Amino acid sequence: MKNGIAASRGIGIGSICRIIEHDLSFDAKMVTDTAAEKARFHKAIDEFVKDTNAKAEDIRRLIGEKEAEILLGHAVMISDPAMSGEMDKMIDSGQCAESALTAVCDMFIGMFSQLDDDMMRQRVSDIADVKVSILKILLGIEDVDISKVAPGTVLVCKDLTPSMTSQIVKENVTGIITEVGGKTSHSAILARALEIPAVLSVPGIVDEVKDKDTAIVDGTEGIVFINPEGDVLSKYMLKREEYIKRQAELDKFIGKETVNADGTKLELFCNIGTPKDAKKAIECDGEGIGLFRSEFLFMDNTHLPTEEEQFEAYKEAVETMGGKTVIIRTLDIGGDKDIPYLGLEKEENPFLGYRAVRYCLGNIDVYKTQLRAIVRASAFGKVKIMVPLVTTVSEVRSVKELVSEIKVELRAEGKAFDNDIEVGCMIETASASLIADLLAKEADFFSIGTNDLTQYTMSVDRGNSKVAYLYSTFQPSVLRSIQHIIKCGKEAGIPVGMCGEAAADPLMIPLLMSFGLDEYSVNPVLVLTARCIISKWSKEEADALTAKVMALNSEEEILAVLKEAVKE
Amino acid sequence: MVSKKMTVKNEQGMHMRPASLLSQMAAGFDSSVKINFNGNAYDCKSVMFLMSACIKCGSEIELQCEGADEEDALAQISQFIEDGMGD
């Protein structure tokens, strides 16, 4: 078994075909019959131009005009007087074709890589591609034709280049393993687009395998098996069947409403960390943003972000969501994070210290800048403000007063905003849970943050391995806390959401449904999974299970009962 | 020798496609065809040199032709550049 980067989900099982990088070294000899050498050279160029035009035609048909033009450009480049013309002159002076080709191409590669223009610098890889392709023809090296590999092939290569990927036939390639590349590399993006399971960055894999070896590519876990022994193969064949079945089942939920088995509609939102993630939320079929963490603006920065900088970022996310709800959490930060320009002091107990809303209300200028940016972004869609780490009613009141002040200012400045913008609070401390009835009278909505709620309720530092066993959202105390928060929200007539990891947990969903949770906010990739699980539970079934669970004394018993009842 | 000053209008400047069209057109004339830009002269018959000039949208360039068919070359090529080089 080998580990790599899980770059494209799914399980692929097949026979290996290695794509080997050839040794392109040659003897730079002098030639006497320059006419014959030039003829050999031009025969190679003609063959290259013919190949390239044929490939470009394939790509035009399969992918598009723009992609085809890049390849056609290769043929234009080599035919240029400054390219083949110069190479001819060098051959005339007695150099061999390989030397002439390499010298002129390398000269242009050097020249283009120094240009102050991104688009032109990209031509460097084109010139290098041209050089390698013609060298292969001159040296008589034949490439594997990827477009002709047999069905059930697992490609193993150093790196997947664009010209290689353009030849992949999706039906024939069941998996991809490479030695280099990360989750966002070109190879990874293409593998995901083609929906081929891929594991990248497996060191030394090309030299360790032979053609026709059997390979298992687990692109979900980032694991590769070569010639698996014992029952590994049969296990994975079963796993593969299950994955395909499950994917097909989840695909049925694309574009569907989120409803439970009774047909009651629930909201399924996404948690995101940057404006760009909003696109992902849309792609994954999220119905809104239940948690937009604003920390990225402050963490990846050298200065306090200005109102305009923040406004642009919030506006981008809001516009991407096109009228769907975007709940922006205000700055959630404290002494455990080093943000030099904020001048936060290191604290003995940062999680119990000067952080989140406590810091913000102590630094009104910083907070007001952020709130102004958020309120202004509300002119472009449906924005809600969420206050983290609330422990007292007065904190919520203070934030609401600030928002009212800001509205007056913005109106005077003639700036647009949504006058009905809601202010809600995260319920993630023991105090907030206990006074949820009081908070519900001030807040427009609740969102339960299960990670912190569990930590504060159980009084456990989950980073401390000696006590980490206590950290569980399924502890009777944490479940009671969640139940109480939702009940208080319901009684006051405000919506209650959850933006912690628990909202997508198949064991937790029936309990949340029974408690009456309105909005589930999950990682974008879990939207369909959560929608599928929700669809399987009726309120009556969820209530029966919850009654059983809430009567139990320990986390162990609760988990045992839930695992028995789970519907995946 | 004849020459004419003009401004490049196509959005992406002298990228692969316009450069390759322009070089093919220039190769059809006996005259030498050059673009003077940023203090350098670039041979229009070479797509590689044209691209290396980094001519962008809004760049001020001077087209210069010299040879038997210089008038024709200048007229046709300048027309092509001013029309946006096929973009």
Side-chain angles (χ1 to χ4, degrees):
Chain A
M1 187 182 94
K2 293 175 189 305
N3 290 300
I5 294 170
S8 177
R9 287 153 57 89
I11 292 165
I13 301 171
S15 167
I16 286 180
C17 171
R18 298 195 306 159
I19 315 289
I20 302 162
E21 274 182 42
H22 297 281
D23 177 15
L24 294 175
S25 59
F26 56 88
D27 292 328
K29 53 182 187 289
M30 296 303 282
V31 290
T32 42
D33 187 351
T34 58
E37 185 70 357
K38 253 183 10 195
R40 182 171 82 91
F41 178 52
H42 281 271
K43 197 168 153 255
I45 291 182
D46 290 346
E47 191 181 326
F48 168 74
V49 171
K50 205 175 121 221
D51 281 358
T52 305
N53 288 337
K55 257 192 214 166
E57 194 44 53
D58 282 347
I59 288 188
R60 187 196 312 278
R61 202 157 29 79
L62 296 171
I63 306 173
E65 185 71 29
K66 264 218 164 98
E67 288 73 15
E69 256 177 27
I70 294 178
L71 269 184
L72 284 176
H74 290 183
V76 174
M77 280 181 174
I78 191 61
S79 313
D80 196 88
M83 289 276 276
S84 55
E86 286 304 307
M87 293 166 191
D88 279 346
K89 281 184 204 159
M90 288 178 74
I91 296 172
D92 282 337
S93 73
Q95 305 222 36
C96 67
E98 289 88 347
S99 298
L101 173 77
T102 306
V104 175
C105 286
D106 287 352
M107 188 275 287
F108 276 111
I109 287 171
M111 185 167 124
F112 275 73
S113 53
Q114 279 169 24
L115 295 182
D116 184 24
D117 181 320
D118 262 348
M119 201 150 81
M120 286 307 127
R121 268 203 305 274
Q122 286 169 24
R123 297 284 84 80
V124 169
S125 59
D126 292 313
I127 303 168
D129 243 9
V130 169
K131 180 178 97 171
V132 168
S133 302
I134 299 177
L135 260 183
K136 279 184 189 160
I137 298 171
L138 286 169
L139 297 170
I141 294 167
E142 285 208 21
D143 273 329
V144 177
D145 187 346
I146 298 177
S147 66
K148 299 226 163 63
V149 298
T153 295
V154 171
L155 293 178
V156 177
C157 54
K158 188 103 194 279
D159 191 10
L160 214 53
T161 67
S163 67
M164 278 153 84
T165 31
S166 67
Q167 300 175 50
I168 289 179
V169 179
K170 195 180 147 183
E171 288 70 27
N172 294 349
V173 178
T174 59
I176 297 168
I177 311 171
T178 73
E179 281 188 12
V180 298
K183 254 195 155 69
T184 55
S185 67
H186 187 77
S187 320
I189 291 165
L190 279 154
R192 282 197 293 270
L194 293 166
E195 295 176 332
I196 299 173
V199 176
L200 310 186
S201 277
V202 183
I205 189 75
V206 179
D207 288 334
E208 283 177 34
V209 301
K210 296 187 302 295
D211 283 337
K212 308 275 182 222
D213 278 353
T214 299
I216 299 173
V217 184
D218 183 341
T220 311
E221 299 291 332
I223 304 170
V224 167
F225 293 89
I226 307 300
N227 294 327
E229 286 170 1
D231 58 354
V232 175
L233 186 63
S234 55
K235 261 199 202 146
Y236 265 90
M237 285 171 80
L238 211 69
K239 222 174 148 183
R240 180 165 183 269
E241 286 300 309
E242 278 168 16
Y243 177 84
I244 291 170
K245 228 172 82 190
R246 175 130 186 85
Q247 252 345 88
E249 200 195 349
L250 288 184
D251 283 350
K252 285 190 222 145
F253 287 90
I254 296 172
K256 295 275 160 54
E257 284 197 324
T258 303
V259 288
N260 68 8
D262 309 318
T264 307
K265 168 112 181 68
L266 295 165
E267 285 182 304
L268 185 52
F269 286 7
C270 293
N271 302 333
I272 62 169
T274 67
K276 288 203 170 42
D277 292 346
K279 271 202 193 82
K280 202 166 170 206
I282 291 283
E283 281 165 17
C284 293
D285 215 16
E287 298 159 19
I289 302 297
L291 167 63
F292 180 9
R293 304 180 184 92
S294 58
E295 288 75 60
F296 78 98
L297 281 164
F298 296 81
M299 307 280 287
D300 311 334
N301 218 331
T302 52
H303 62 279
L304 200 59
T306 64
E307 182 182 321
E308 283 310 309
E309 283 169 339
Q310 295 192 52
F311 168 65
E312 287 301 329
Y314 303 143
K315 181 175 157 225
E316 184 184 337
V318 171
E319 287 189 326
T320 303
M321 294 310 293
K324 294 188 164 104
T325 301
V326 178
I327 301 177
I328 303 174
R329 181 178 72 187
T330 62
L331 188 56
D332 185 8
I333 223 151
D336 54 323
K337 302 212 173 79
D338 191 26
I339 303 180
Y341 61 83
L342 283 184
L344 292 163
E345 281 169 34
K346 281 262 174 266
E347 300 179 12
E348 289 262 329
N349 276 313
F351 284 98
L352 303 179
Y354 193 50
R355 59 182 303 116
V357 70
R358 303 169 181 179
Y359 168 85
C360 289
L361 290 173
N363 293 269
I364 290 290
D365 291 347
V366 174
Y367 204 27
K368 222 171 149 180
T369 305
Q370 179 173 37
L371 289 173
R372 272 182 63 102
I374 298 175
V375 175
R376 283 176 57 200
S378 73
F380 299 88
K382 188 158 175 53
V383 175
K384 298 184 184 188
I385 298 168
M386 181 156 77
V387 188
L389 204 80
V390 169
T391 47
T392 67
V393 172
S394 68
E395 285 163 344
V396 185
R397 286 199 184 127
S398 301
V399 178
K400 282 173 74 180
E401 275 164 30
L402 269 177
V403 171
S404 300
E405 266 175 48
I406 287 167
K407 285 186 189 170
V408 173
E409 287 172 17
L410 290 177
R411 205 168 286 128
E413 292 165 29
K415 292 199 167 104
F417 61 90
D418 171 11
N419 195 40
D420 299 325
I421 185 167
E422 294 183 2
V423 179
C425 52
M426 290 276 286
I427 306 291
E428 54 185 337
T429 64
S431 173
S433 171
L434 288 167
I435 59 163
D437 56 331
L438 306 177
L439 290 170
K441 291 182 190 137
E442 289 296 328
D444 294 317
F445 63 90
F446 280 167
S447 183
I448 305 170
T450 45
N451 299 355
D452 277 351
L453 184 67
T454 305
Q455 165 163 307
Y456 289 127
T457 303
M458 294 303 295
S459 306
V460 65
D461 172 3
R462 61 171 157 165
N464 181 340
S465 60
K466 288 205 179 100
V467 294
Y469 71 95
L470 287 169
Y471 180 90
S472 167
T473 314
F474 295 97
Q475 286 284 352
S477 59
V478 183
L479 291 180
R480 275 165 174 69
S481 182
I482 293 171
Q483 185 178 34
H484 174 70
I485 296 162
I486 297 174
K487 184 168 153 268
C488 291
K490 299 254 109 184
E491 280 171 5
I494 62 168
V496 183
M498 177 175 285
C499 57
E501 285 164 26
D505 189 329
L507 300 183
M508 187 60 85
I509 285 176
L511 304 180
L512 298 175
M513 192 184 286
S514 172
F515 295 158
L517 192 77
D518 301 293
E519 173 237 298
Y520 299 68
S521 192
V522 306
N523 182 319
V525 299
L526 292 175
V527 167
L528 294 180
T529 311
R531 187 174 290 155
C532 173
I533 297 167
I534 288 171
S535 76
K536 301 204 165 153
W537 288 93
S538 70
K539 182 76 167 45
E540 200 185 331
E541 285 174 304
D543 283 347
L545 179 63
T546 303
K548 221 196 268 176
V549 162
M550 296 308 279
L552 298 170
N553 289 311
S554 70
E555 187 226 4
E556 293 76 20
E557 292 169 272
I558 291 173
L559 281 178
V561 168
L562 287 174
K563 277 179 183 156
E564 186 67 29
V566 71
K567 302 181 178 190
E568 288 239 38
Chain B
M1 187 194 73
V2 291
S3 70
K4 187 175 176 186
K5 287 195 168 127
M6 62 197 82
T7 308
V8 173
K9 288 187 194 121
N10 55 319
E11 205 179 315
Q12 297 201 38
M14 190 69 77
H15 63 98
M16 185 76 211
R17 206 164 82 116
S20 101
L21 291 172
L22 181 60
S23 65
Q24 282 164 28
M25 192 169 192
F29 295 97
D30 292 332
S31 300
S32 73
V33 185
K34 287 190 168 55
I35 282 177
N36 294 319
F37 175 63
N38 259 353
N40 294 313
Y42 298 94
D43 182 355
C44 288
K45 296 187 183 183
S46 163
V47 65
M48 300 300 277
F49 288 132
L50 274 177
M51 289 197 297
S52 73
C54 289
I55 293 167
K56 298 195 173 68
C57 181
S59 292
E60 304 276 342
I61 61 167
E62 184 187 35
L63 183 68
Q64 185 183 311
C65 307
E66 187 168 7
D69 51 4
E70 58 184 36
E71 292 288 348
D72 275 355
L74 188 75
Q76 287 183 35
I77 297 172
S78 62
Q79 183 71 45
F80 174 70
I81 294 173
E82 285 173 334
D83 285 349
M85 298 189 275
D87 262 14

